[in-house]
Amino acid sequence: MAKREEYEAKTESFLMPLMKENNFELVDVEYVKEAGNWYLRAYIDKEGGITVDDCEIISRQLGDWLDEKDFIADSYILEVSSPGLGRPLKKDKDFNRSIGEDVDIKLYKPLNKQKDFTGTLISYDKDTVTIAQEDGSELTLNRPDIALIRLAFDF
């Protein structure tokens, strides 16, 4: 297991009881390097939406635990936040919750000269994602070809 996956897994296992205790959902944990800095991010949510105070509660407890365990060798920035409006779909529970919802999909490489697709999520499995496009046609994409899939939002 790569250090990134190990850090994410350890953090997730610590957070799961906290999520249950507070009636929150752990959407994702990621350990990523951006612009030369490492970030440990926990995305949390709850029915009705997460607040700054909710994030602070989890951030304090997580920060104390990380200081005590000290298993991350790199210097990093800890962030606890809402997944936001355009939350990415990563896990089966994300896809299940989003069946019938509009999604935006970005591909790594163009398909018929197009990399961006929007449609209603109809189905998914471990290999594919199927959406209904605006013209009524269905489009099935291979999951390894998808760079990002997230809930679409209109303003």
Side-chain angles (χ1 to χ4, degrees):
M1 181 183 295
K3 75 175 180 178
R4 180 183 63 79
E5 293 164 335
E6 177 189 339
Y7 297 164
E8 291 170 355
K10 282 183 178 181
T11 303
E12 189 169 323
S13 66
F14 171 76
L15 286 171
M16 289 313 290
L18 284 179
M19 297 297 105
K20 190 171 187 168
E21 177 184 315
N22 290 283
N23 293 317
F24 296 165
E25 173 194 358
L26 181 61
V27 175
D28 197 18
V29 173
E30 65 179 8
Y31 185 70
V32 294
K33 192 168 194 175
E34 294 176 0
N37 293 314
W38 283 101
Y39 291 85
L40 178 62
R41 294 189 177 117
Y43 297 100
I44 61 175
D45 207 356
K46 71 176 180 186
E47 192 70 37
I50 211 78
T51 67
V52 172
D53 291 339
D54 297 331
C55 292
E56 182 181 358
I57 289 166
I58 299 305
S59 181
R60 286 183 190 275
Q61 292 180 28
L62 178 57
D64 290 348
W65 177 78
L66 288 165
D67 288 345
E68 178 188 320
K69 298 300 180 189
D70 198 28
F71 60 87
I72 299 177
D74 309 304
S75 175
Y76 63 92
I77 298 164
L78 175 63
E79 294 180 352
V80 176
S81 68
S82 159
L85 289 176
R87 77 193 281 171
L89 308 182
K90 294 186 175 186
K91 300 177 181 173
D92 284 350
K93 67 179 181 177
D94 300 327
F95 284 93
N96 280 333
R97 176 182 34 240
S98 302
I99 295 287
E101 301 286 335
D102 288 342
V103 294
D104 291 327
I105 299 175
K106 292 190 183 303
L107 301 180
Y108 288 110
K109 294 184 218 163
L111 173 69
N112 301 325
K113 299 181 182 177
Q114 186 176 344
K115 286 176 80 172
D116 299 327
F117 297 89
T118 298
T120 303
L121 181 62
I122 296 174
S123 65
Y124 73 95
D125 60 33
K126 67 180 182 65
D127 300 313
T128 62
V129 171
T130 302
I131 60 171
Q133 298 184 90
E134 202 171 271
D135 65 5
S137 65
E138 288 187 9
L139 175 65
T140 300
L141 300 165
N142 293 319
R143 282 180 78 164
D145 297 337
I146 298 173
L148 175 68
I149 180 169
R150 65 178 178 201
L151 291 177
F153 51 94
D154 294 320
F155 289 101

